[in-house]
């Protein structure tokens, strides 16, 4: 058998010289250090701002992972490219490579070294994890007292409740509810979380912590906001005086000229500019409208970050987010906190005004799903609420409700009973008359109903067909009669 | 060794006939036709899943809803994309390679249980149809992971039920196939082929099949509970009635994490074959590579809860971090073993080799991000974000799909008796490699900056990442058609391959292409070492095969195919 034509095998494998090994090693190390420096100095920012102690710890671990990871990257890709370049068969070279089956020393090296590296990484990870979970101070200190903060997740919104421990003039507990989370630099934040429906995941990218919110369990979320040496872009506007504070909106086709921030109403806005005297500040509202406001109305300054849902929860998953406001100081935080407390201490007797306060403060998470232009709601997963007073009145008879107001109340207490045409199922959880989760007090129910009864297509409350009578000034003609009527309706939905 | 001589390259026609379409589309117990059935079916679903992926990327070009009417429709897009790609493309594609190659590599006439083999395949098309029928009754929209209560109390449409039934059927198919592989590999090796002389592809199929048999029953259990909750009125996952939603996550991932290895280990087997053959050099550290497959398969059962770092009891998170990190060691052994294999060889940059090298360079990125993800504090940041989407596409596409392409380029001559066009192969590789990299690399950064996965509406600050990703994804999508064109045209116009165009030592090459229904004319004698390249004995063995079965049709000087030329004077 003549095989001489192919019998030209090289029987020795190519062993690189010391120069190559050192040079290639240097290439990998320099490449890794370069990546490390680019990332750790934030020259190439690959992670959001470091708003918490946890983010600083986690990022140091991440930078180390980048260092090790890019070393492996350059090692493997480098060897790959070099091999292809160096050992590529020349045209017409039909010979085989050397018959080499392995090398025990090398194989031990590339088993042992990775084992050591991951052992070290494991220890460091546990260390960072413990540091991140460490409790540094009493939870949620406000004026030296711990204020429990509870988070309720539902499709598709977050609700934050501060158990203030204060009483209002009717001797009821004041729970400060809102659609944003407020905290301040130095606070040790602890949140307890529940969900009303599916699994959600509470994630603040700037904080680097994520925790699922699981049906049937209460989970916990801790973080410690820190000073970042970044300009505070956002300000807290607080309505002062009997008549409140006026925001002068910059002219645009579809905006009103002024916007009144009633006494103790709070509003977060982005600071855009200050005039020469410093007495006036230009701000950008959440719906992107620009306005000028007296600088005196600014209660504090803060950073704003997104809180998002990271676990698939349904059709509105992408729209499920809220804002975290990190106030510069505890004083700044208190300006927001105290104004809200003051407002809640004296609930208005007029149900329409109460409803407006409840809805604008974000005490119920309506805005994420519903559209109601008068309040700036832009949600799209739920039925549109513009002109709801007309439709409620029209549907009342067909649905067997006493009146439009009854229809609205029924829709809040038992949303699954009515399906809006074109909707594929009631995703809104029922707002219950008792219990901890998704509780809506009778006063709030009446207030919200009364407010929604003013939302007619024409914008004039007098045109409503809900069953409430409004005067020329847009206010209820007889507040007590209206309250009595609404209380009678609400009683039907008590357990 | 027999010494029958066959004329050198019977120009124009392979020695044996390719099975016709009618033979492929009907019940048969021939493992080779079943292998082709698997591969063709899987590729059809790859196109379907790919179309869904293109729609996802189109939708994500802007931060608002564009082509989808609402969020639910978008949710069913990625739910079905993920399910189709995993259960109807990757797993059946590798089952196809296994079916075609395992008996041939063992010198056997068929699988141990030919009828069972056919039955396992014929479960797949109806299961796929069942899943797609969901579009008529309201498609599943809870993601391929289908976490309850979203998939139970909050998915009212029947598509979710069909989804669970389809996966149930696919699980049965998977288990039956795996049992068949284990029995075949352990009992039907030819004389002289010990486990330690078996081709590494068979080792990988063995490791995979053991995993399938151990893990898939857990998927069946989880799906049964899900179906009972949906249609039987039970409340295993209803917390309000005493159920527990984490039960699903634990049982589902107890299957689905090993399933990740089910989807990549056979690809690693393919890679060992391709890298060794096309660099003309033995596998570096054969035993370590074989054992690391087993190690990955077994350790893979202890890591499932790393998918639950944000939902698991906090004190359980660290042990799962440690076990997850350990997986990096056997994976590293494989990668370095492969680098050792090509080092010093005679590398031929064929289409198969290019995709195998592409696997190495992309899979290592998936490995690095995998170790990053195993660190609990960092996982808190990137869990359920686009970082994870990027990570598993680097493993599942950069790993598994690249290895499937490598395998298709490597074994297409054996399957059809014709060679694929190598110029088109290079174009296919270049576009796939670049398209892939620029599709999935930017996702890492979007995820770290704060973009969760599974959203149609996202923070506008992430739009630039998504535009780059989408454009690259479209390139990636188009590149697939180069391969389809090549595969179809080469069936008729490709160079005749001969029995052993790559001069490989494993047994599937020691028979005509395509092999006759009985596989081997006489009992084949395996070469003592499946990767013993570079010895005189190996050269003699390969020369003998060439003499018996003929050599490939030569390329014309222009690189095209010689047509109508007279047969060169052979013997």
């Amino acid at each position: 058998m003549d095989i001489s034509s192919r019998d030209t095998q090289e029987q020795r494998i190519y062993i690189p010289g010391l120069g190559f090994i050192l040079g290639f090693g240097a290439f990998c190390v320099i490449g890794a250090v370069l990546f490390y420096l680019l990332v750790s100095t934030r020259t190439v920012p690959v992670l959001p701002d470091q708003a918490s102690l946890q983010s600083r710890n986690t990022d140091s671990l991440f930078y180390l992972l980048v260092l090790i990871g890019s070393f492996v990257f350059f090692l493997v890709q480098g060897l790959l490219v070099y091999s292809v370049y160096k050992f590529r068969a020349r045209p017409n070279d039909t010979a085989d490579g050397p018959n080499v089956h392995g090398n025990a020393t090398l194989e031990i090296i590339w088993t042992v070294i990775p084992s050591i590296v991951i052992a070290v990484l494991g220890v460091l990870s546990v260390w960072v994890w413990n540091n991140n979970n460490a409790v540094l101070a009493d939870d949620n200190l406000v004026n030296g007292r711990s204020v429990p903060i509870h988070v309720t997740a539902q499709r598709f919104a977050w609700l934050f409740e501060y158990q203030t421990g204060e009483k209002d003039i009717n001797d009821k507990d004041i729970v400060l509810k809102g659609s944003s989370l407020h905290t301040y630099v130095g606070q040790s934040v602890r949140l307890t979380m529940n969900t009303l429906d599916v699994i959600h995941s509470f994630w603040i990218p700037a904080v680097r912590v994520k925790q699922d919110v699981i049906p049937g369990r209460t989970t916990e979320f801790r973080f410690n906001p820190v000073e970042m040496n970044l300009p505070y872009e956002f300000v807290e506007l607080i309505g002062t005086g009997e008549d409140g504070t006026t925001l002068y909106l910059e002219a645009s086709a579809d905006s009103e000229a002024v916007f009144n921030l009633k006494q103790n109403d709070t509003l977060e806005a982005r600071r855009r500019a200050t005039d020469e005297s410093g007495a006036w500040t230009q701000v950008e509202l959440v719906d992107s409208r620009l306005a000028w406001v007296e600088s005196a109305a600014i209660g504090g300054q803060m950073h704003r970050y997104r809180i998002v849902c990271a676990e698939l929860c349904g059709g509105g998953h992408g729209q499920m987010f809220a804002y975290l406001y990190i106030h510069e100081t505890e004083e700044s935080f208190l300006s927001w906190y105290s104004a809200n407390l003051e407002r809640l201490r004296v609930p208005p007797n007029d149900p329409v005004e109460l409803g407006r306060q409840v809805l604008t403060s974000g005490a119920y998470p309506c805005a994420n799903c519903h559209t109601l232009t008068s309040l700036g709601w832009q949600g799209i997963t739920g039925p549109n609420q513009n002109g709801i007073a007309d439709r409620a009145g029209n549907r009342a008879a067909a649905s067997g409700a006493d009146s439009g107001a009854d229809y609205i109340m029924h829709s809040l207490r038992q949303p699954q009973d009515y399906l809006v045409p074109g909707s594929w199922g009631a995703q809104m959880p029922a707002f219950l008359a008792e219990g901890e989760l998704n509780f809506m007090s009778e006063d709030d129910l009446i207030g919200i109903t009364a407010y929604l009864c003013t939302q007619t297509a024409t914008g004039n409350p007098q045109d409503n067909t809900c069953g409430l009578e409004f005067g020329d000034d847009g206010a209820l003609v007889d507040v007590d009669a209206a309250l009595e009527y609404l209380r009678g309706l609400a009683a039907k939905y008590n357990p | 060794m027999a010494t029958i001589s066959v004329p050198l390259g019977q120009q124009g026609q392979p020695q044996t006939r390719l099975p016709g379409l009618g033979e492929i589309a009907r019940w048969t117990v021939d493992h080779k036709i079943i292998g082709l059935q698997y591969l063709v079916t899987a590729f059809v679903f790859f196109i379907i899943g790919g179309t869904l992926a293109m729609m996802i990327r189109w939708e994500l070009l802007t931060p608002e809803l564009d082509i989808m009417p609402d969020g639910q429709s978008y949710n069913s897009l990625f739910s079905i994309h993920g399910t189709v790609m995993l259960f109807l493309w990757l797993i059946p594609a590798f089952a196809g390679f296994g079916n075609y190659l395992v008996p041939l590599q063992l010198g056997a006439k068929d699988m141990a249980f030919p009828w069972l083999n056919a039955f396992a395949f014929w479960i797949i098309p109806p299961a796929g149809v069942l899943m797609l029928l969901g579009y008529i009754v309201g498609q599943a929209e809870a993601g391929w992971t289908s976490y309850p209560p979203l998939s139970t109390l909050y998915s009212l449409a029947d598509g979710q039920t069909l989804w669970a039934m389809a996966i149930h059927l696919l699980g049965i198919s998977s288990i039956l196939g795996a049992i068949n592989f284990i029995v075949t590999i352990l009992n039907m090796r030819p004389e002289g082929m010990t486990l330690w002389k078996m081709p590494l592809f068979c080792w990988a199929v063995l490791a995979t099949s053991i995993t399938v048999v151990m893990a898939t029953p857990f998927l069946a259990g989880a799906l049964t509970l899900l179906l009972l909750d949906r249609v039987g009125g039970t409340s295993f996952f209803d917390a309000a009635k005493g159920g527990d939603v984490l039960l699903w996550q634990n049982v589902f991932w107890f299957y689905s994490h090993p399933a990740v290895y089910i989807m990549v280990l056979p690809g690693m087997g393919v890679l060992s074959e391709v890298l060794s053959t096309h660099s003309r050099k033995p596998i570096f550290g054969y035993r370590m590579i074989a054992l690391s497959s087993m190690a990955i398969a077994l350790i893979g059962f202890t890591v499932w809860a790393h998918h639950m770092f944000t939902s698991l009891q906090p004190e359980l998170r660290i042990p799962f971090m440690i076990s997850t990190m350990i997986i990096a060691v056997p994976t590293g052994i494989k990668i370095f073993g492969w680098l050792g294999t090509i080092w010093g060889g005679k590398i031929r940059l064929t289409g198969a080799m290019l995709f195998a090298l592409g696997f190495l360079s992309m899979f290592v990125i998936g490995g690095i991000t995998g170790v990053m993800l195993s660190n609990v504090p960092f996982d808190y940041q990137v869990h359920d974000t686009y970082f994870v989407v990027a990570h598993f596409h680097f493993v599942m596409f950069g790993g598994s799909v690249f290895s499937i392409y490598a395998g298709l380029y490597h074994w297409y001559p054996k399957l059809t008796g014709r060679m694929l066009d190598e110029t088109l192969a290079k174009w296919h590789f270049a576009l796939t490699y670049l398209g892939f990299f620029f599709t999935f690399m930017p996702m890492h950064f979007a995820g770290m900056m704060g973009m969760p996965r599974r959203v149609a509406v996202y923070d506008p600050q992430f739009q630039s990442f998504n535009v780059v990703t989408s454009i690259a994804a479209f390139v990636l999508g188009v590149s697939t058609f180069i391969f389809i064109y090549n595969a179809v045209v080469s069936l008729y116009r490709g160079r005749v391959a001969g029995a052993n165009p790559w001069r490989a030592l494993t047994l599937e090459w020691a028979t005509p292409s395509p092999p006759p229904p009985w596989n081997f004319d006489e009992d084949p004698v395996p070469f003592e070492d499946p990767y013993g390249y570079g010895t005189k004995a190996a050269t003699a063995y390969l020369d003998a095969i060439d003499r018996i079965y003929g050599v490939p049709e030569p390329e014309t000087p222009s690189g095209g195919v010689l047509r109508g030329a007279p047969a060169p004077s052979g013997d």
Side-chain angles (χ1 to χ4, degrees):
Chain A
M1 201 179 282
D2 179 17
I3 52 168
S4 58
S5 62
R6 295 185 190 274
D7 189 16
T8 52
Q9 324 288 7
E10 297 161 35
Q11 284 311 324
R12 286 185 54 78
I13 196 163
Y14 172 78
I15 295 172
L18 192 64
F20 172 82
I21 293 172
L22 290 179
F24 184 70
F27 161 75
C28 296
V29 170
I30 291 170
V33 170
L34 194 70
F35 271 26
Y36 173 81
L37 289 176
L38 282 177
V39 171
S40 67
T41 58
R42 300 181 68 84
T43 313
V44 180
V46 297
L47 286 164
D49 291 346
Q50 297 178 324
S52 70
L53 208 59
Q54 284 72 14
S55 58
R56 290 183 186 169
N57 294 336
T58 302
D59 287 3
S60 336
L61 178 69
F62 169 70
Y63 300 148
L64 181 70
L65 290 170
V66 168
L67 183 70
I68 297 171
S70 27
F71 179 82
V72 175
F73 175 84
F74 284 110
L75 181 75
V76 173
Q77 310 288 4
L79 286 176
L80 200 61
V81 172
Y82 180 79
S83 301
V84 170
Y85 163 76
K86 172 95 181 165
F87 306 115
R88 192 171 168 183
R90 302 292 170 259
N92 300 321
D93 181 358
T94 54
D96 285 354
N99 186 255
V100 175
H101 283 88
N103 181 307
T105 318
L106 269 181
E107 286 167 42
I108 289 169
I109 288 175
W110 67 51
T111 308
V112 172
I113 291 184
S115 307
I116 295 171
V117 170
I118 61 159
V120 172
L121 269 184
V123 171
L124 284 175
S125 265
V126 174
W127 186 63
V128 168
W129 190 68
N130 281 332
N131 281 347
N132 281 354
N133 293 337
V135 180
L136 301 178
D138 285 349
D139 302 330
N140 310 333
L141 283 182
V142 177
N143 268 337
R145 215 176 68 200
S146 283
V147 173
I149 308 175
H150 187 260
V151 179
T152 307
Q154 70 174 69
R155 306 201 300 171
F156 301 99
W158 301 101
L159 176 69
F160 302 92
E161 292 170 287
Y162 293 73
Q163 309 287 341
T164 61
E166 311 270 341
K167 302 273 188 192
D168 69 4
I169 50 168
N170 301 322
D171 204 33
K172 287 184 182 159
D173 288 332
I174 298 180
V175 180
L176 169 49
K177 297 180 183 180
S179 57
S180 309
L181 175 61
H182 287 254
T183 174
Y184 60 88
V185 169
Q187 199 181 30
S188 188
V189 185
R190 174 175 178 268
L191 311 173
T192 51
M193 309 194 287
N194 288 107
T195 169
L196 298 180
D197 36 50
V198 300
I199 305 173
H200 298 277
S201 189
F202 188 84
W203 180 33
I204 312 174
V207 164
R208 313 281 192 277
V209 187
K210 184 181 288 137
Q211 170 62 46
D212 287 8
V213 189
I214 302 165
R217 292 170 200 230
T218 300
T219 49
E220 185 184 287
F221 189 100
R222 281 185 178 282
F223 70 103
N224 302 74
V226 289
E227 180 61 50
M228 282 181 288
N229 297 322
L230 293 171
Y232 287 88
E233 280 190 62
F234 289 82
V235 291
E236 188 74 61
L237 303 177
I238 293 163
T240 46
E242 286 283 304
D243 300 329
T245 297
T246 304
L247 275 70
Y248 296 89
L249 296 168
E250 295 202 354
S252 78
D254 58 344
S255 69
E256 302 160 36
V258 293
F259 176 91
N260 190 287
L261 198 60
K262 296 195 176 171
Q263 187 176 22
N264 289 327
D265 272 8
T266 59
L267 186 69
E268 294 83 21
R270 188 193 295 269
R271 176 160 48 198
R272 293 290 295 260
T274 316
D275 75 344
E276 285 163 20
S277 64
W280 290 86
T281 300
Q282 188 197 35
V283 294
E284 182 189 334
L285 305 182
V286 176
D287 55 9
S288 302
R289 287 187 297 178
L290 295 178
W292 284 94
V293 63
E294 280 181 279
S295 300
I298 294 175
Q301 53 179 1
M302 56 223 181
H303 294 300
R304 187 181 83 177
Y305 292 105
R306 261 189 184 234
I307 300 169
V308 296
C309 176
E311 183 68 63
L312 178 63
C313 55
H317 175 46
Q319 288 102 305
M320 183 167 170
F321 71 92
Y323 287 121
L324 162 71
Y325 289 100
I326 301 178
H327 289 259
E328 178 189 25
T329 56
E330 188 173 1
E331 286 69 50
S332 165
F333 171 83
L334 283 172
S335 69
W336 166 81
Y337 186 78
S338 312
N340 277 293
L341 219 54
E342 204 47 51
R343 176 176 59 78
L344 292 167
R345 203 185 308 280
V346 193
N349 191 41
D350 178 356
V352 176
E353 171 58 12
L354 177 73
R356 189 199 64 79
Q357 283 190 15
V358 165
L359 292 176
T360 53
S361 68
Y364 297 94
C366 318
N368 276 51
C369 300
H370 296 287
T371 293
L372 181 57
T373 311
S374 64
L375 294 182
W377 297 356
Q378 295 171 333
I380 54 171
T381 46
N384 191 318
Q385 298 297 312
N386 287 336
I388 177 67
D390 301 339
R391 285 195 303 282
N394 293 342
R395 286 191 197 133
S399 59
D402 286 352
S403 64
D406 190 22
Y407 178 89
I408 293 175
M409 256 183 211
H410 193 155
S411 302
L412 286 163
R413 283 283 194 235
Q414 287 151 20
Q416 65 280 4
D417 284 2
Y418 298 138
L419 282 193
V420 171
S423 158
W424 52 274
Q427 298 194 48
M428 191 168 106
F431 287 94
L432 306 172
E434 61 177 2
E436 289 281 309
L437 285 178
N438 227 28
F439 170 71
M440 182 185 275
S441 69
E442 192 176 297
D443 288 346
D444 285 0
L445 177 71
I446 289 168
I448 292 171
T449 305
Y451 182 81
L452 290 180
C453 282
T454 66
Q455 299 301 306
T456 57
T458 58
N460 184 355
Q462 284 180 304
D463 296 342
N464 87 81
T465 51
C466 264
L468 296 183
E469 199 183 335
F470 289 88
D472 287 339
D473 58 352
L476 283 168
V477 172
D478 185 343
V479 170
D480 291 331
L483 271 177
E484 193 179 336
Y485 171 64
L486 290 168
R487 285 209 177 100
L489 291 178
K492 285 203 294 185
Y493 303 106
N494 285 338
Chain B
M1 188 63 69
T3 53
I4 315 155
S5 278
V6 172
L8 179 71
Q10 298 163 327
Q11 265 75 12
Q13 285 303 317
Q15 293 123 311
T16 39
R17 205 175 53 82
L18 190 68
L21 204 60
E23 288 165 86
I24 290 183
R26 68 171 189 219
W27 175 278
T28 169
V29 295
D30 181 343
H31 74 97
K32 296 183 293 301
I33 295 182
I34 295 173
L36 289 175
Q37 288 171 336
Y38 267 111
L39 284 170
V40 172
T41 310
F43 210 89
V44 169
F45 281 109
F46 181 42
I47 302 299
I48 293 173
T51 310
L52 296 173
M54 294 299 107
M55 291 167 74
I56 292 174
R57 289 319 318 174
W58 193 347
E59 172 60 57
L60 292 179
L61 276 169
T62 70
E64 288 89 35
L65 282 171
D66 304 308
I67 55 168
M68 288 291 122
D70 52 35
Q72 287 89 34
S73 320
Y74 178 78
N75 291 357
S76 47
L77 262 192
F78 63 72
S79 303
I80 301 304
H81 163 74
T83 314
V84 164
M85 288 302 200
L86 297 178
F87 291 106
L88 289 163
W89 156 238
L90 289 180
I91 293 181
F94 283 127
F97 278 115
N99 266 295
Y100 203 100
L101 295 169
V102 165
L104 284 173
Q105 290 197 327
L106 299 182
K109 287 189 170 55
D110 207 321
M111 297 281 284
F113 308 117
W115 192 91
L116 190 69
N117 201 18
F119 181 65
F121 167 75
W122 283 104
I123 297 176
I124 290 178
V129 171
L130 202 58
M131 187 177 303
L132 296 179
L133 279 180
Y135 280 108
I136 296 172
V137 294
Q139 190 52 285
E141 56 190 38
W144 84 275
T145 52
S146 285
Y147 280 9
L150 183 62
S151 60
T152 52
L153 300 171
Y154 294 86
S155 287
L156 301 176
D158 288 329
Q160 189 67 43
T161 309
L162 291 181
W163 176 92
M165 286 160 62
I167 307 284
H168 236 318
L169 289 175
L170 294 168
I172 294 171
S173 160
S174 209
I175 293 174
L176 296 180
I179 291 173
N180 212 345
F181 283 130
I182 295 174
V183 175
T184 306
I185 292 171
L186 294 183
N187 292 292
M188 296 176 67
R189 293 190 311 280
E191 212 177 313
M193 189 192 281
T194 63
L195 276 180
W196 292 115
K197 287 184 176 176
M198 196 163 70
L200 283 168
F201 179 73
C202 292
W203 264 106
V205 171
L206 181 63
T208 306
S209 301
I210 292 172
T211 311
V212 169
V213 171
M214 282 166 65
T216 316
F218 287 86
L219 176 68
L223 288 168
T224 304
L225 299 186
L226 189 78
L227 280 170
L228 282 173
D229 262 20
R230 285 189 62 82
V231 300
T234 58
S235 48
F236 292 104
F237 306 123
D238 184 354
K241 294 180 184 162
D244 187 351
V245 295
L246 292 191
L247 172 67
W248 166 268
Q249 296 186 16
N250 274 301
V251 183
F252 176 80
W253 286 115
F254 192 81
Y255 162 77
S256 289
H257 194 80
V260 171
Y261 301 115
I262 292 172
M263 290 169 229
V264 80
L265 280 176
M268 292 173 158
V270 170
L271 210 68
S272 297
E273 305 287 329
V274 172
L275 287 174
S276 171
T277 306
H278 294 257
S279 51
R280 314 305 305 159
K281 201 167 149 281
I283 278 287
F284 197 92
Y286 170 94
R287 279 187 184 228
M288 288 290 265
I289 287 187
L291 285 178
S292 60
S293 289
M294 285 293 170
I296 290 172
L298 294 178
I299 304 170
F301 276 95
T302 66
V303 303
W304 78 91
H306 69 214
H307 297 269
M308 304 164 57
F309 279 161
T310 61
S311 56
L312 198 66
Q313 288 294 328
E315 54 272 26
L316 290 176
R317 295 175 188 180
I318 295 300
F320 283 101
M321 172 180 91
I322 305 293
S323 60
T324 304
M325 286 180 163
I326 290 173
I327 294 259
V329 176
T331 313
I333 290 174
K334 275 186 186 293
I335 287 176
F336 290 120
W338 290 325
L339 284 173
T341 304
I342 63 171
W343 181 270
K346 300 273 188 183
I347 296 173
R348 273 142 220 196
L349 291 179
T350 54
M353 188 64 173
L354 285 173
F355 273 101
L357 295 169
F359 174 116
L360 258 183
S361 85
M362 291 297 103
F363 185 78
V364 76
I365 296 175
I368 292 167
T369 52
V371 173
M372 287 179 157
L373 279 167
S374 70
N375 289 272
V376 178
F378 183 63
D379 181 79
Y380 282 178
Q381 175 68 0
V382 290
H383 180 91
D384 264 327
T385 68
Y386 262 86
F387 188 91
V388 172
V389 178
H391 161 72
F392 68 70
H393 279 95
F394 265 87
V395 177
M396 300 276 92
F397 199 120
S400 306
V401 178
F402 273 46
S403 71
I404 290 174
Y405 277 134
L408 287 172
Y409 279 102
H410 185 66
W411 281 297
Y412 184 91
K414 180 51 61 183
L415 266 56
T416 63
R418 304 269 190 176
M419 305 295 282
L420 283 167
D421 186 293
E422 284 291 329
T423 313
L424 284 178
K426 287 187 173 66
W427 277 104
H428 175 214
F429 172 74
L431 286 183
T432 304
Y433 187 85
L434 293 175
F436 167 79
F437 186 83
F438 288 104
T439 300
F440 296 105
M441 202 56 183
M443 288 185 181
H444 289 114
F445 304 108
M448 285 192 283
M449 292 301 283
M451 182 167 167
R453 65 193 280 206
R454 298 172 163 175
V455 291
V457 178
Y458 56 86
D459 188 347
Q461 66 156 311
F462 303 124
Q463 190 173 10
S464 47
F465 292 121
N466 280 289
V467 169
V468 174
T469 290
S470 289
I471 291 171
F474 299 145
V475 173
L476 184 58
V478 168
S479 76
T480 315
F481 290 92
I482 303 179
F483 174 77
I484 296 173
Y485 173 81
N486 196 355
V488 172
V489 170
S490 298
L491 267 184
Y492 305 98
R493 311 240 304 257
R495 215 151 43 87
V496 174
N500 192 1
W502 312 121
R503 292 179 63 78
L505 286 168
T506 43
L507 273 182
E508 76 269 30
W509 303 103
T511 186
S513 309
W518 49 90
N519 285 356
F520 299 94
D521 290 328
E522 46 194 283
D523 283 348
V525 182
F527 188 65
E528 54 181 1
D529 172 359
Y531 306 104
Y533 301 108
T535 58
K536 286 181 183 175
T539 310
Y541 178 86
L542 293 171
D543 286 343
I545 290 177
D546 281 355
R547 260 199 302 283
I548 298 166
Y549 300 107
V551 297
E553 186 178 353
E555 290 176 56
T556 55
S558 63
V561 174
L562 194 67
R563 279 271 153 261
S569 51
D571 44 336

